[in-house]
Amino acid sequence: MRPIPRITLLRATLVVTIWLSVATFLDYIARTYQAEMLFVSRRYTGLAVLLGLLVIFEAVLLVAAWTPWKDKLLAWLDTLLQTLKKLGRWNTLFFVLVLAAFAYFSVALPILYLNSFNFRLLVYWLAVLCISALLRSKGVQRNFPELFAASLLLVAVFYKVAVYLPELSTYPFSLGWSETSRYYYASLFFSEQVYGIQIPPSVLHPTRYLMQAVPFLIPDSPLWLHRLWQVFLWLGTTFLTSYLLTRRLAICDPLKRWVLLAWSFLFLLIGPVYYHLQVTVIIVLLGYDRRNPWKTFAAVLLASIWAGISRINWFPVPGMLAATIYFLEETLAERPVWRYLLKPVLWVGAGTLVAFAVQTLYAFASGNPVEQFSSSFTSDLLWYRLLPNPTYPMGVLPAVLLVSSPLLWVIIASLAGQWKAYHPIRWAGIMAILLVLLAGGVVVSTKIGGGSNLHNLDAYLTLLLVIGGWCYYARSTPDLETESPPIPGEPAARLPWIVILYILVLPVYLTLITGPVTPPIDRQRVDRALAAIDSLANAAYQSSNEALFISERQLLTYGLIRSVPLVPEYEKVFLMEMAMANNPNYLGQFHQDLKNQRFALIVSEPLAVRYKGRAKSFGEENDAWVKNVAEPILCYYEPFRTFRELKIQLLKPRSEPGSCTLPFSP
């Protein structure tokens, strides 16, 4: 590929910069004008003027780039780079400052109506340009496109890390619908230490909560520490998986090695691929050894034990991952097909059986009713969510096709002209594994409660990443020799620049469209709500009655409300699972307790009898909650205090309960 002329690169850079600046300027004007702040506040109007001046300045530079002044612009650019080079080690400080400023302006700046995607994209673009220049000034001897690609991914990775920073909060209430519920379920592994009673561990995602339970090894560990640990789990396991994948590929070029690591990191978090699934991937990547099948078998069994107490659709994943690497690396070498298939069939079959056995043992040993482990089989399947819908505007099928497209393109391009060098049974094995995981993920995505992202296709996306990496960096071994075979560790195909740009930009875009979760900042309102809940819950306990925390149960977990015993039943996440599954035993007992007005106080999210239907986002989930939870509660209890901004409601028994027809009669 011929080098792109520098003036062309400069013009293209200015065009993109102006486009993003104009979009930010117009968006800011529209938002402030709608809020009636544009010509009222000097601060808001002043910022609008600054954005306008930035657009004008960039337009002047672009015009100059098409005139005889273009040579002076390039000379000024060279002077700037030379000046940066003379700074030596100070470049590292500027490098850090650019990333810190980017994090502040794109994540931590919640004011001035700048918390928008357009502004975030503009700041990201400017940070990428700065980092590219700083990499060049630090002596990285690469052409601009390579430095730009590395910067594009590096800044996106930094943004993904920065997005988690607002979650490291001392805010006592939940940052999301189920955020603090996760810490409660983690605490059940230490229930005697935390609550003074023995409570069975979770039915749902036990391995996730086992990983999250680690901070409970520190007595009286605060909520912010558990939030920090969960952030570490998300980022740490994803980085480790990406690193192990990159290490196995043994990429020759250090820059390309880091580029793949960053790209894989972003790709795995698109779904996202949950960290407790990545444990199985890490075990297999560490343990797979083509020269020692018994070591591989042991790794598959160990990972399958973990999968067995995770999720049923992950049971075959460890064996399938090992089988995929086997099909990519191992040739038939004159062996009969049945003998070649013996190892992968053994890994998949034995791993799945072990996972099933472990789940069965856990179900009986956990102390939970065994029937609750099969709730997913009685839940409704909402097939319409495969296509664009209110819950997931893109739809599961279009989204998975979009996210898969870069890797599918890479695989096809890498193997162009080499397909016949591989025995068909190897491609059949790989395709069968991918199709099984794709079909399984698609079906699970239609389950009520899902279908709002691609996390149920996590196993499929992970194996597709493995296949793409092995093919592109020539780590797959053909059965027949080919002319001009690719060098292992080097790219197996030359891709058009537009395809490379698409492959780079897609995970970056899908990363940047997700903004941070920020808690309310009115601390006085938070403190008043906490004091009210504490006072009323203690009053209920002192009168020999119970207080049920359907939500905000972490207030008991972390001692933010003291001297109030935990009622283990009816936590929000599991109550919703049982409501969607229409579990008669669980819901029947719940309705009986409501009818008997067992609880003197109920702490919940604000309840309302408002059916939505499939025309609204999560309409069926809302309707299941209203039918099985909200209506029965409001029949026997009445709200008397609502903190709407904090999404908390307090309810007390009705003196005269209504006439209720409960879905599951006690």
Side-chain angles (χ1 to χ4, degrees):
M1 188 191 316
R2 291 186 303 172
I4 303 174
R6 296 173 65 216
I7 189 61
T8 303
L9 289 174
L10 178 60
R11 290 167 179 166
T13 300
L14 287 171
V15 167
V16 175
T17 306
I18 291 175
W19 172 54
L20 295 175
S21 299
V22 170
T24 301
F25 174 71
L26 295 177
D27 179 68
Y28 178 77
I29 293 295
R31 288 155 65 92
T32 51
Y33 181 78
Q34 186 177 10
E36 299 181 351
M37 298 295 295
L38 181 57
F39 301 110
V40 175
S41 167
R42 290 183 180 178
R43 187 168 57 166
Y44 289 99
T45 305
L47 184 55
V49 171
L50 288 176
L51 288 173
L53 291 175
L54 177 64
V55 171
I56 293 172
F57 175 71
E58 293 165 354
V60 170
L61 291 179
L62 181 60
V63 171
W66 292 90
T67 68
W69 280 79
K70 63 179 181 296
D71 295 328
K72 288 190 175 182
L73 285 179
L74 292 174
W76 290 340
L77 186 61
D78 290 336
T79 302
L80 175 62
L81 291 175
Q82 290 300 323
T83 303
L84 289 174
K85 284 183 180 180
K86 294 177 182 178
L87 294 176
R89 294 182 179 180
W90 285 98
N91 275 318
T92 302
L93 176 61
F94 283 115
F95 196 90
V96 174
L97 289 176
V98 167
L99 292 176
F102 167 66
Y104 175 74
F105 282 106
S106 62
V107 175
L109 187 67
I111 59 174
L112 300 182
Y113 293 90
L114 283 176
N115 191 16
S116 68
F117 175 69
N118 288 321
F119 176 72
R120 193 184 312 147
L121 198 57
L122 173 62
V123 175
Y124 167 78
W125 174 254
L126 296 176
V128 168
L129 296 179
C130 290
I131 293 299
S132 299
L134 288 169
L135 286 175
R136 171 62 64 86
S137 67
K138 286 176 68 67
V140 180
Q141 299 301 317
R142 299 301 179 100
N143 57 41
F144 177 78
E146 289 180 314
L147 291 178
F148 179 76
S151 303
L152 202 73
L153 294 172
L154 173 63
V155 179
V157 167
F158 189 83
Y159 172 79
K160 193 64 181 181
V161 174
V163 161
Y164 283 98
L165 296 181
E167 296 185 21
L168 308 182
S169 169
T170 58
Y171 179 66
F173 302 121
S174 186
L175 295 174
W177 187 81
S178 61
E179 188 249 350
T180 50
S181 296
R182 310 301 179 189
Y183 310 128
Y184 163 71
Y185 285 112
S187 73
L188 298 185
F189 289 98
F190 296 86
S191 59
E192 289 194 22
Q193 169 189 317
V194 177
Y195 306 109
I197 56 175
Q198 182 67 42
I199 307 172
S202 174
V203 170
L204 305 173
H205 304 287
T207 52
R208 176 179 184 176
Y209 302 132
L210 181 61
M211 294 176 73
Q212 288 188 240
V214 170
F216 284 105
L217 293 171
I218 304 173
D220 300 320
S221 52
L223 176 57
W224 67 263
L225 181 61
H226 291 255
R227 284 175 168 151
L228 174 63
W229 176 248
Q230 177 168 246
V231 169
F232 173 78
L233 290 176
W234 275 115
L235 300 178
T237 54
T238 305
F239 177 85
L240 181 57
T241 301
S242 304
Y243 168 76
L244 291 174
L245 171 66
T246 307
R247 190 184 71 170
R248 272 201 165 271
L249 295 177
I251 300 169
C252 304
D253 187 324
L255 182 64
K256 292 176 181 176
R257 191 159 56 240
W258 282 103
V259 164
L260 177 63
L261 192 153
W263 194 92
S264 302
F265 180 88
L266 295 175
F267 181 81
L268 290 171
L269 289 173
I270 289 174
V273 178
Y274 279 95
Y275 45 81
H276 50 313
L277 170 63
Q278 292 191 56
V279 170
T280 66
V281 178
I282 290 168
I283 293 172
V284 175
L285 288 177
L286 283 172
Y288 184 90
D289 189 340
R290 63 184 300 182
R291 294 169 298 183
N292 188 345
W294 290 109
K295 179 182 177 182
T296 303
F297 188 50
V300 168
L301 292 183
L302 180 60
S304 298
I305 291 172
W306 183 266
I309 49 177
S310 298
R311 299 183 67 185
I312 190 169
N313 50 313
W314 294 351
F315 285 6
V317 170
M320 286 181 167
L321 176 56
T324 298
I325 299 174
Y326 176 85
F327 286 133
L328 289 167
E329 294 185 350
E330 196 75 26
T331 63
L332 262 72
E334 306 297 331
R335 284 176 289 180
V337 170
W338 70 267
R339 191 177 183 85
Y340 176 78
L341 293 175
L342 190 60
K343 290 179 185 176
V345 169
L346 176 63
W347 294 335
V348 175
T352 304
L353 288 175
V354 166
F356 181 80
V358 168
Q359 194 217 37
T360 303
L361 289 173
Y362 176 79
F364 282 102
S366 67
N368 295 291
V370 176
E371 68 192 38
Q372 294 178 359
F373 286 85
S374 59
S375 63
S376 57
F377 295 104
T378 60
S379 300
D380 294 336
L381 298 180
L382 310 175
W383 295 100
Y384 76 91
R385 289 192 180 171
L386 297 181
L387 300 176
N389 62 88
T391 301
Y392 193 17
M394 186 178 292
V396 172
L397 290 180
V400 73
L401 180 61
L402 176 68
V403 172
S404 302
S405 58
L407 289 170
L408 293 174
W409 201 316
V410 162
I411 293 168
I412 293 171
S414 301
L415 297 172
Q418 298 187 50
W419 296 95
K420 294 181 180 179
Y422 294 82
H423 194 284
I425 196 65
R426 298 171 66 185
W427 294 129
I430 291 173
M431 290 299 297
I433 289 172
L434 275 181
L435 289 175
V436 166
L437 293 177
L438 176 61
V442 165
V443 172
V444 175
S445 294
T446 67
K447 174 186 171 295
I448 184 173
S452 62
N453 56 24
L454 297 179
H455 86 267
N456 286 313
L457 287 135
D458 42 17
Y460 161 78
L461 295 174
T462 302
L463 264 71
L464 190 64
L465 176 61
V466 168
I467 297 166
W470 256 254
C471 291
Y472 186 66
Y473 286 102
R475 289 299 170 184
S476 57
T477 309
D479 293 275
L480 303 176
E481 293 186 5
T482 59
E483 295 183 5
S484 302
I487 301 172
E490 293 285 352
R494 282 186 170 273
L495 301 174
W497 70 267
I498 190 68
V499 174
I500 295 174
L501 187 62
Y502 170 72
I503 292 171
L504 290 172
V505 166
L506 181 64
V508 169
Y509 170 76
L510 295 176
T511 297
L512 292 177
I513 60 175
T514 305
V517 176
T518 55
I521 58 176
D522 189 342
R523 190 68 202 187
Q524 290 185 345
R525 185 173 298 182
V526 170
D527 290 342
R528 285 197 300 269
L530 187 60
I533 297 171
D534 183 39
S535 174
L536 292 166
N538 274 281
Y541 173 61
Q542 290 170 7
S543 61
S544 301
N545 290 309
E546 293 178 302
L548 173 64
F549 285 74
I550 292 179
S551 60
E552 308 300 340
R553 199 165 284 197
Q554 79 285 348
L555 299 178
L556 303 178
T557 304
Y558 298 107
L560 299 171
I561 292 179
R562 298 184 180 276
S563 305
V564 176
L566 170 71
V567 177
E569 301 92 343
Y570 316 131
E571 199 281 331
K572 176 170 61 177
V573 169
F574 195 66
L575 184 57
M576 172 60 98
E577 180 70 19
M578 294 296 101
M580 293 188 299
N582 287 304
N583 187 295
N585 295 331
Y586 187 92
L587 294 174
Q589 184 59 54
F590 175 56
H591 296 161
Q592 178 70 64
D593 288 338
L594 294 176
K595 184 177 182 180
N596 294 339
Q597 296 187 331
R598 170 185 168 185
F599 313 110
L601 174 71
I602 293 179
V603 180
S604 173
E605 63 179 13
L607 299 175
V609 179
R610 189 178 300 117
Y611 288 91
K612 296 181 178 180
R614 63 186 292 177
K616 300 292 185 180
S617 178
F618 287 111
E620 287 86 352
E621 291 83 353
N622 170 81
D623 294 352
W625 178 264
V626 170
K627 172 187 173 184
N628 292 319
V629 178
E631 276 196 279
I633 290 177
L634 293 174
C635 180
Y636 298 106
Y637 286 78
E638 59 182 344
F640 69 96
R641 190 81 178 269
T642 300
F643 304 94
R644 196 152 299 277
E645 183 184 349
L646 307 178
K647 299 180 181 179
I648 299 173
Q649 188 172 75
L650 308 180
L651 301 100
K652 64 181 181 180
R654 289 185 182 273
S655 56
E656 296 183 5
S659 178
C660 309
T661 302
L662 299 177
F664 297 94
S665 300

